[in-house]
Amino acid sequence: MRIICYLLALLLLVCPVKLAAQETIIASVSPEFPNGLHAKYLRFLAKELNVALKIKPIPLARRIKELEKGDIDIIVLAKRDNPELIALMPSYSQIDENLFVRASEKHRISNQEQLRSALIGVSHGSHLPQFVGNRELANTVEVNSLEQKVLMLKRKRIDGFFHTFSSANLVINEMGASDAIVSSVWQPGRKKRLSHFVISKKSRLFKYKAQLEQIIQQAKNEGKFIQIRQQHYQSKN
């Protein structure tokens, strides 16, 4: 009888842990980088929270819509004014957005006025970097992928594009376009955007908000996100 009681008590202790470990959350990243840096950040977060993770590669605009509806649970995004989204605090990193141009025209855009008159490619559903200001300040073309930005710039369909520096250079090199596409000599300021893990009230992670923010704060204090980033780009060299 004692053995049966002991086994029942042990079962009650073990079951909740197993159930929590079996819970699966859905994250989403860019289809261009299904196993990229954002995916590694999200896997780290899921491991720390002790939940299973499924990653769906989806374009940015659709990513945001599905997060709003609760069809996915978490994404990585620069903080923006959207009452449906919740940016987990603190931010885990800063985004270094750069203006990329054709190598033959790396001096062509040298001030804000020239930027306003140029045709600039931006990611569909994204906001222009803070240092550019409102969308009305520049002629923009929304594109679905970084690869499309590079191709349009090479073919002179746009005059430049904005993208994060490290990711853009990685894809430019993979496409063999490093001699044709470069970072503009002039950059419209060096302000950086804060990047957050973002959920919504309909996300299955909403109930873990406080715990998630504690994990993010501790990981940031310990330099875990910097380590993940360094390891990621070292593996690409």
Side-chain angles (χ1 to χ4, degrees):
M1 185 68 181
R2 287 181 181 178
I3 294 175
I4 294 173
C5 291
Y6 174 78
L7 290 173
L8 285 172
L10 185 63
L11 187 63
L12 289 172
L13 288 173
V14 172
C15 281
V17 175
K18 286 187 176 180
L19 286 172
Q22 289 173 353
E23 186 172 2
T24 299
I25 62 170
I26 301 174
S28 184
V29 298
S30 168
E32 292 182 283
F33 304 102
N35 296 303
L37 187 57
H38 287 180
K40 291 178 181 178
Y41 287 148
L42 290 163
R43 289 191 186 102
F44 166 79
L45 209 59
K47 183 179 179 181
E48 291 296 306
L49 193 60
N50 195 30
V51 295
L53 179 70
K54 179 181 178 181
I55 295 180
K56 293 173 61 177
I58 303 173
L60 178 60
R62 190 173 140 213
R63 231 179 295 164
I64 294 172
K65 291 295 183 184
E66 293 206 12
L67 181 61
E68 291 173 346
K69 294 186 296 182
D71 291 338
I72 59 177
D73 300 302
I74 187 168
I75 63 174
V76 174
L77 190 68
K79 190 176 181 181
R80 60 180 64 193
D81 294 328
N82 184 329
E84 301 298 322
L85 304 183
I86 301 169
L88 298 177
M89 302 299 289
S91 66
Y92 74 87
S93 182
Q94 291 182 322
I95 300 175
D96 185 9
E97 293 260 9
N98 264 50
L99 173 64
F100 288 85
V101 295
R102 286 181 288 275
S104 59
E105 299 177 340
K106 61 183 179 181
H107 295 283
R108 176 183 171 185
I109 300 175
S110 59
N111 55 53
Q112 288 282 355
E113 289 301 320
Q114 291 175 347
L115 179 62
R116 289 187 183 97
S117 63
L119 188 59
I120 303 298
V122 296
S123 299
H124 183 65
S126 72
H127 290 178
L128 282 176
Q130 293 175 9
F131 45 70
V132 176
N134 297 327
R135 278 191 177 278
E136 290 76 14
L137 296 181
N139 300 312
T140 61
V141 175
E142 290 193 340
V143 296
N144 292 321
S145 69
L146 174 54
E147 182 178 340
Q148 188 179 2
K149 288 180 183 177
V150 175
L151 291 174
M152 289 180 71
L153 185 55
K154 283 183 67 176
R155 295 169 183 172
K156 300 185 178 182
R157 294 175 59 187
I158 56 175
D159 300 313
F161 66 79
F162 280 107
H163 207 88
T164 52
F165 182 77
S166 299
S167 297
N169 274 333
L170 182 64
V171 170
I172 288 169
N173 288 331
E174 288 176 349
M175 293 176 66
S178 57
D179 291 334
I181 307 297
V182 298
S183 182
S184 173
V185 172
W186 177 84
Q187 294 291 329
R190 286 293 179 181
K191 294 180 183 178
K192 296 183 179 182
R193 294 189 295 162
L194 299 178
S195 190
H196 293 259
F197 295 104
V198 178
I199 61 174
S200 73
K201 289 183 179 180
K202 295 182 180 179
S203 164
R204 279 166 289 192
L205 289 175
F206 182 68
K207 60 186 176 183
Y208 298 120
K209 180 177 179 291
Q211 188 177 349
L212 278 167
E213 291 186 328
Q214 185 177 0
I215 291 170
I216 294 166
Q217 182 67 71
Q218 183 175 347
K220 187 173 181 179
N221 292 343
E222 295 175 356
K224 294 289 180 65
F225 297 120
I226 293 175
Q227 291 174 15
I228 293 170
R229 181 183 181 86
Q230 289 174 341
Q231 291 170 1
H232 173 74
Y233 286 110
Q234 284 172 1
S235 69
K236 299 294 181 180
N237 294 333

